[in-house]
Amino acid sequence: MREVFHQSLEDVQGRLVEIAELVTVAIEKATRSFSSSDVALAEEVIEADAVIDDKAVALDELAIEILARQQPVARDLRIVVSALRISASLERMGDIAEHIAQLTRMRFPERAIPKGLKSTFTKMGELDVAVARKLTELLRNEDKALADEIRNDDDKLDDLHLSVFEKVLSDSWKGEASATVDATLASRYLERFADHAVSVAKKVVYLSTGDWTVDTETIEVPRP
């Protein structure tokens, strides 16, 4: 029974990695479609979101079954509870990628990125893709140094997000109302994507320490 239990825990981790991989593909395609106004690519992201949702639900059902049948304690309990919360964050990250793709589709054949902000949104997209890749690796091997890297990337995204607001609120901004809305929404989506990744990274650290106390400026990585 113990062997079956540990196999179930390994299955939980494997499913989290699988969902994170799908989220990475989604944000890659979403940011690329947003940058190039590729509506076909945007449609792929929108259609694929249902797969992420289904896998997240299946993982939650597995975690609940483990809780009910195995009654795990200590670290095993932390793994299962954290998996439920991580699954929710990953599902939301997939939704955010879908929202970005929907912006692309809504403005097609026009470009969704307002003039003067292309370089900013390109950087934000690249950072989100990097965050997704690091998060997948973090879930795969629990290399906790990646948690700090994710937090640092999130800080960069926060700065870029702020710069978008400064741009659209400045006297020099000549964009129409629709362009202002698009810029504001897209920037918020891209910034929020990384926020969820930071939340997941904190939970991975929690799995190693059993402590939710995390410094507000950096994720403390325990020394071996």
Side-chain angles (χ1 to χ4, degrees), residues 25 56 60 63 85 96 111 133 162 166 187 189 191 200 207:
V25 172
D60 291 350
R85 302 183 69 179
I96 290 172
R111 286 187 177 273
R133 290 172 177 168
L162 178 60
E166 291 174 343
S187 181
Y189 291 150
E191 183 267 343
V200 172
L207 286 176

Side-chain angles (χ1 to χ4, degrees), residues 10-31:
E10 290 177 3
D11 189 17
V12 167
Q13 182 183 17
R15 292 189 188 204
L16 285 174
V17 171
E18 181 185 15
I19 296 170
E21 289 173 339
L22 291 173
V23 168
T24 300
V25 172
I27 195 64
E28 286 175 337
K29 290 183 176 181
T31 53

